[in-house]
Amino acid sequence: MSDRSLLVVVLAAGEGTRMKSRLPKVLHKVAGRTMLHHVLAATRAAGATRTAVVVGPGREDVAAEATRIVPDAQVFVQTERLGTAHAVLAARAALEQGADDVLVLYADTPLVRPETLARLRAPLAEGAAVAALGFEPEDPTGYGRLVTSGDELVAIREEKDATAAEKAVRFCNAGLMALSGKDALSILDRIGNANSKGEYYLTDAVEIARADGRAAVAAKADVDEVAGVNSRIQLAEAEAILQKRLRLAAMAEGATLIAPETVFFSADTVLGRDVIVEPNVVFGPGVTVGDDVVIHAFCHLEGAQLAPGVSIGPYARLRPGTRLDEGVRIGNFVETKAAHIESGAKVNHLSYVGDAHVGANANLGAGTITCNYDGFSKYRTEIGAGAFIGVNSALVAPVTIGAGAYVGTGAVITSDVPEDALAIARSRQVVKDGWARDFRAARADAKKK
């Protein structure tokens, strides 16, 4: 179907009152991504050529997330909530531009797979005007039913309007729909609101298409894929489903998870082959792990790039901007942030390395701290190749430790150390009354200027 254009209309105007949150429902995250991001990613993988996102009034935050993910997405505002068909027609301008196929999705259904969207869309290429996505729950109570006759979809019947025979049907409406592009506006414009709620229901598209002599069909999805998220409980259920998918995918691609149920991934986590992940590890967004890496128990990684052969943990925290080259060793209770650590270097115990560059084969002893923040600004520390930093050393940035230099135990280094030199900085304590107060006042005055 790559030769057929596809317009995707994503409905993201729901208020999500059951979430009990100031954050819009569709911006809540599953595996490190907003629900809206998951849906838009699936549509791109399914071949979307144009994207329209329908948001509620004043929801610039939802609009911004949509255009962050799909920069050329068109955003439309549904000023009144008068039903699903009314919401789709909020994107009339996009529909009028034309497309071979139109897919209508919901931004609170984050688990749908691209291949399922392709299967839903496929009948349009064979002449169908409407295709609806269905599923078979254990208990169909409360769901609209897909009433079929042979291969044809006859109607989508809400449970309160269904006959006893229709209520016995287990094939239920998931809400996602595909429409023939040439018929979409004609069908949508004829949907009425003669129902108890006075709303315009997208489900009426089926009977309108059939009245025109056009085919309507149904496609089937797994129950998990079409689970909508309307509460914190359902958000947790969606997280569990997606984490299981991500764990299985990681192991299928050659990673070993010692206790899979204790490892949590982000949707964009990339693991190489022969990676070993011990229990209770959390991958935040933006982590790439090379081959043969060992991640020991209780580590937390986010925005970090690990080259092959790295070992971290246990109890290590890698924050955004961390880059570990081949063979680096990061030990227990070590935190890194915006740090490039070159191959063979070791930071084995109880250290903080932030806003720093550490040269190849350098060794940072236990308790080494790069003092990168003075309360107002961040500064960088440069540690040369082969340098040795003694335990309990504080490197007060901006500072450079030359290649091959030694820093003695317990040193507080405030000036650059030349290559191959030894720096020892131990002295009696000096107290300057009022210095901190005057420093803060001076910085505040400087900022005002």
Side-chain angles (χ1 to χ4, degrees):
M1 291 186 291
S2 58
D3 58 337
R4 294 177 63 84
S5 59
L6 172 61
L7 167 66
V8 174
V9 180
V10 178
L11 305 185
E15 292 182 342
T17 54
R18 289 167 58 191
M19 298 294 286
K20 302 279 197 302
S21 176
R22 290 183 295 273
L23 188 69
K25 175 172 67 170
V26 302
L27 296 189
H28 283 266
K29 293 182 177 180
V30 180
R33 280 183 177 172
T34 64
M35 290 194 280
L36 177 59
H37 190 162
H38 281 289
V39 172
L40 291 174
T43 64
R44 282 187 297 176
T49 50
R50 287 192 299 117
T51 302
V53 180
V54 179
V55 304
R59 289 273 60 123
E60 289 80 7
D61 45 4
V62 178
E65 174 72 349
T67 53
R68 183 185 71 83
I69 301 157
V70 183
D72 61 352
Q74 295 174 274
V75 178
F76 301 92
V77 179
Q78 184 188 14
T79 55
E80 298 179 275
R81 290 180 172 82
L82 299 177
T84 48
H86 178 263
V88 177
L89 282 171
R92 179 182 291 275
L95 292 162
E96 288 174 343
Q97 293 173 37
D100 293 320
D101 304 334
V102 176
L103 273 180
V104 179
L105 288 84
Y106 297 87
D108 62 358
T109 309
L111 301 179
V112 66
R113 300 176 189 266
E115 50 268 35
T116 298
L117 298 179
R119 195 165 62 251
L120 174 62
R121 178 190 175 196
L124 303 181
E126 299 171 2
V130 176
L133 192 63
F135 67 109
E136 292 187 1
E138 289 185 13
D139 180 5
T141 303
Y143 293 107
R145 307 301 205 275
L146 298 186
V147 182
T148 58
S149 176
D151 294 332
E152 292 195 23
L153 177 60
V154 176
I156 302 176
R157 195 82 69 215
E158 293 303 316
E159 187 174 62
K160 65 181 183 300
D161 301 321
T163 65
E166 289 168 343
K167 287 180 180 178
V169 172
R170 299 187 59 83
F171 196 23
C172 296
N173 180 31
L176 285 69
M177 185 174 286
L179 300 164
S180 165
K182 67 180 181 180
D183 300 309
L185 270 174
S186 171
I187 291 172
L188 291 166
D189 279 334
R190 283 181 285 159
I191 291 176
N193 65 341
N195 53 63
S196 59
K197 290 189 175 181
E199 294 186 352
Y200 300 85
Y201 294 132
L202 185 61
T203 51
D204 290 347
V206 173
E207 292 179 84
I208 291 173
R210 286 179 57 81
D212 289 345
R214 301 297 307 280
V217 297
K220 187 177 178 183
D222 291 338
V223 174
D224 288 347
E225 280 193 76
V226 295
V229 175
N230 296 296
S231 68
R232 306 278 186 160
I233 295 169
Q234 291 174 339
L235 186 69
E237 291 169 349
E239 182 77 40
I241 292 167
L242 189 50
Q243 288 300 332
K244 184 176 180 180
R245 284 188 196 173
L246 295 170
R247 293 163 187 153
L248 291 174
M251 291 185 286
E253 290 300 314
T256 294
L257 309 184
I258 302 298
E261 68 283 359
T262 71
V263 176
F264 289 83
F265 291 104
S266 284
D268 62 352
T269 303
V270 177
L271 299 185
R273 290 190 176 182
D274 295 312
V275 169
I276 297 175
V277 183
E278 291 185 357
N280 298 297
V281 172
V282 176
F283 294 89
V287 176
T288 300
V289 178
D291 295 345
D292 302 304
V293 168
V294 178
I295 302 174
H296 293 287
F298 294 98
C299 289
H300 189 286
L301 302 82
E302 180 177 357
Q305 314 299 310
L306 282 62
V310 164
S311 173
I312 71 166
Y315 295 97
R317 183 185 182 197
L318 307 187
R319 291 169 57 194
T322 294
R323 178 180 158 197
L324 307 182
D325 289 352
E326 192 164 354
V328 164
R329 296 292 182 266
I330 300 293
N332 51 293
F333 302 103
V334 172
E335 179 178 348
T336 63
K337 190 270 297 182
H340 178 196
I341 302 178
E342 293 188 351
S343 17
K346 297 177 182 178
V347 189
N348 275 330
H349 326 277
L350 302 156
S351 296
Y352 171 70
V353 182
D355 296 288
H357 176 266
V358 179
N361 299 310
N363 187 94
L364 278 61
T368 297
I369 304 296
T370 59
C371 306
N372 59 329
Y373 183 52
D374 64 2
F376 297 92
S377 301
K378 297 288 182 71
Y379 304 94
R380 287 194 63 78
T381 298
E382 296 285 337
I383 300 173
F388 185 95
I389 312 299
V391 300
N392 290 329
S393 295
L395 311 180
V396 184
V399 70
T400 297
I401 311 299
Y406 265 62
V407 171
T409 297
V412 178
I413 301 299
T414 58
S415 300
D416 292 351
V417 178
E419 291 186 11
D420 297 317
L422 169 64
I424 301 173
R426 306 186 192 110
S427 63
R428 66 183 179 85
Q429 180 172 310
V430 176
V431 177
K432 296 183 178 182
D433 290 337
W435 184 94
R437 179 194 61 235
D438 296 341
F439 175 72
R440 288 191 292 269
R443 293 307 298 259
D445 289 341
K447 288 187 76 172
K448 291 176 184 176
K449 295 175 183 178

